Structures are given as C-alpha cells and as structure tokens.
C-alpha cells in the first residue's frame, strides 16, 4: 500500500545579486507532480552559493520510493575534504538522498538510504567528474525498486534498490543544499525540484535540452523561493 504524502515545507528566503548573464529556465514537465521547488531566481539559471548547513526546507511523511530529485550545480573549484552538495536527512547517516564531491576532486558521490542500509550507491563505479564552471543537471529517480542516476541527459547508472515499506509518515527530514556535517563546496546550486513520481527519461531529457544553453553561465543569485505545496498525493503518470 502506497504511503500518502503529507508535505510540510519550511521556507527560508534568500537574497543575492543577479548575474550579469543568465539563461532562461525551462518550465518543467509533469508539473502537477512537482511538490517542492526551491528556485532563488525564477525564470533564469544563475543560482546561489552553496553554504554548509544551508537548510532550504523540510519534508514530513514523504514516500521517496516513488520520486525524482533534480538540481542544477555549478562547481568553481575542488576543496580539501568531502564537500556536501545536497542532503535530505536529520543527520549524516540519514541520506534520502545525499550527494558529495570526493576530497580534492569534482568526482560525484551519490548515496541513498534504504530499509537495511544507510549508504547505498546507485552507480557501482563512481567515475563521473563534474566539469568546473559549468551548470550540470543531476537527477535521480526511484520507482518499483529501481534507482537511476543521470547527469544532464546521460544515464550514469541504474540498480535494484529496495527502499522498503517502512511507515515514514512520522518522520521529518530537513533539506540542505550543503549539509552541516561535511565541508562546504565551492560552487552554486539552483532550481532544486522534488517530484512524487519517477520522471521518464524523455522528461529528464526535455528538462536538460531546454536548459543546455546555460553551460558556463556566470554564477550569481536572486531573492525568491518558489513552492509547489501538495497536501496529498496526486495521480501518477500512466
């Protein structure tokens, strides 16, 4: 039996300066299933600096066994230490999911908690390196016991992953763009999206193809948060 979704989102306004150049953002497909969108600069892709401990919202009772996470990342340089890019969870070992860069590297480290183990990978050999000073779209989907990870329009890997059928309705998870337990990444993040359905590959490609002129856009910021609030699960795609 699928869990009902009760979303409680605490928003944190941010402010920054617009970049001198910015690419237009694409209106995301399946918008009726978009339940959370943190976007500091609606309509453009310029982003805000990643900060250690930066909480952008909170989710309560979310069934992530059928879900999609999307965010755009622009890394300026590597840092000495494991640098957090994105993290959903109350502590370092709650990873629903959690994303880092390896120390002194732009190599992507993506981890997902499941019923019996907190640190599952999606790609067995993590050998994707984020290019520096370019916007990259990172997407993960979870559906029917399968997890998939994409960079832009390319599938990095896919594996069977049993999230489990635990009752998460009493759990609350903060959403961080940089968690408070790891080193701070040197770069920016934009347009964090959470869906209550697994997007298709065509949807993912559509999002990327309509944003791929944003590569190498100077990093800037803005001052607005966009939110899509869902009080109950909406219908799934056929």
């Amino acid at each position: 039996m699928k869990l009902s979704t009760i979303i409680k989102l605490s928003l944190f306004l941010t402010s920054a300066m617009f970049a001198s150049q910015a690419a237009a953002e694409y209106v995301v497909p399946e918008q009726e299933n978009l339940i959370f969108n943190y976007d500091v600069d609606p309509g453009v892709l310029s982003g805000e600096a990643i900060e250690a401990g930066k909480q952008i919202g909170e989710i309560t009772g979310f069934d992530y066994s059928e879900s999609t996470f999307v965010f755009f990342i622009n890394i300026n340089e590597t840092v000495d230490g494991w640098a957090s890019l994105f993290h959903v969870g109350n502590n370092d070992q709650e990873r629903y999911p959690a994303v880092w860069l390896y120390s002194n590297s732009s190599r992507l480290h993506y981890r997902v908690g499941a019923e019996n183990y907190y640190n599952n990978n999606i790609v067995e050999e993590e050998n994707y390196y984020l290019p520096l000073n370019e916007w990259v779209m990172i997407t993960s989907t979870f559906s029917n016991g399968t997890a998939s990870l994409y960079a832009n329009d390319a599938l990095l890997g896919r594996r069977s992953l049993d999230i489990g059928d635990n009752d998460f309705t009493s759990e609350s998870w903060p959403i961080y763009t940089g968690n408070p337990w790891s080193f701070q990444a040197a770069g920016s993040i934009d347009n964090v999206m959470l869906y209550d359905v697994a997007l298709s590959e065509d949807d993912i490609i559509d999002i990327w193809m309509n944003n791929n002129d944003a590569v190498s856009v100077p990093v800037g910021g803005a001052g607005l948060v966009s939110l899509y609030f869902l009080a109950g699960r909406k219908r799934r795609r056929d």
Side-chain angles (χ1 to χ4, degrees):
M1 180 177 180
K2 293 295 180 184
L3 299 174
S4 62
T5 305
I6 305 169
I7 301 298
K8 176 185 176 184
L9 298 171
S10 303
L11 295 181
F12 300 84
L13 293 178
T14 59
S15 62
M17 187 179 299
F18 275 105
S20 58
Q21 295 178 326
E25 287 177 328
Y26 175 54
V27 177
V28 218
E30 300 301 332
Q31 189 160 322
E32 71 272 18
N33 294 106
L34 181 62
I35 58 175
F36 178 77
N37 182 204
Y38 180 81
D39 190 357
V40 298
D41 50 3
V44 295
L45 189 58
S46 57
E48 68 175 1
I50 298 170
E51 298 178 28
K54 173 74 172 183
Q55 185 178 342
I56 61 172
E58 184 178 88
I59 303 177
T60 299
F62 175 59
D63 176 13
Y64 76 107
S65 64
E66 291 286 335
S67 62
T68 301
F69 293 82
V70 183
F71 60 87
F72 289 80
I73 197 78
N74 188 320
I75 297 301
N76 305 133
E77 60 184 358
T78 61
V79 300
D80 185 12
W82 288 81
S84 172
L85 304 181
F86 181 74
H87 195 116
V88 179
N90 289 287
N91 56 62
D92 179 59
Q93 294 190 2
E94 285 188 355
R95 302 173 179 183
Y96 305 125
V99 190
W100 292 267
L101 296 180
Y102 281 78
S103 179
N104 294 306
S105 176
S106 66
R107 185 181 176 193
L108 193 68
H109 183 71
Y110 203 111
R111 286 295 186 263
V112 183
E115 186 172 14
N116 298 317
Y117 186 52
Y118 75 98
N119 198 40
N120 297 280
N121 62 358
I122 297 179
V123 181
E124 184 173 353
E125 295 184 8
E126 294 182 318
N127 56 7
Y128 179 74
Y129 293 77
L130 288 170
L132 298 183
N133 300 307
E134 292 185 10
W135 285 103
V136 177
M137 186 179 82
I138 301 298
T139 304
S140 60
T141 64
F142 304 92
S143 181
N144 297 319
T146 298
S148 304
L149 181 63
Y150 300 81
N152 297 331
D153 57 348
L155 176 67
L156 300 182
R158 177 175 288 147
R159 64 165 290 185
S160 296
L161 183 61
D162 184 9
I163 298 297
D165 56 1
N166 291 334
D167 185 356
F168 293 128
T169 56
S170 62
E171 296 285 342
S172 293
W173 300 317
I175 305 171
Y176 296 100
T177 53
N179 77 37
W181 312 288
S182 304
F183 287 87
Q184 180 168 300
S188 294
I189 194 168
D190 201 1
N191 206 6
V192 178
M193 294 172 276
L194 169 58
Y195 293 84
D196 69 341
V197 69
L199 294 183
S200 69
E201 288 193 355
D202 286 343
D203 288 337
I204 293 167
I205 291 171
D206 283 346
I207 298 172
W208 166 243
M209 291 300 293
N210 285 276
N211 281 290
N212 64 9
D213 59 343
V215 173
S216 299
V217 172
V219 176
L224 180 63
V225 175
S226 298
L227 168 67
Y228 294 85
F229 181 83
L230 188 69
R233 291 185 73 84
K234 298 198 175 194
R235 65 173 180 83
R236 296 189 184 280
R237 298 170 56 250
D238 293 328

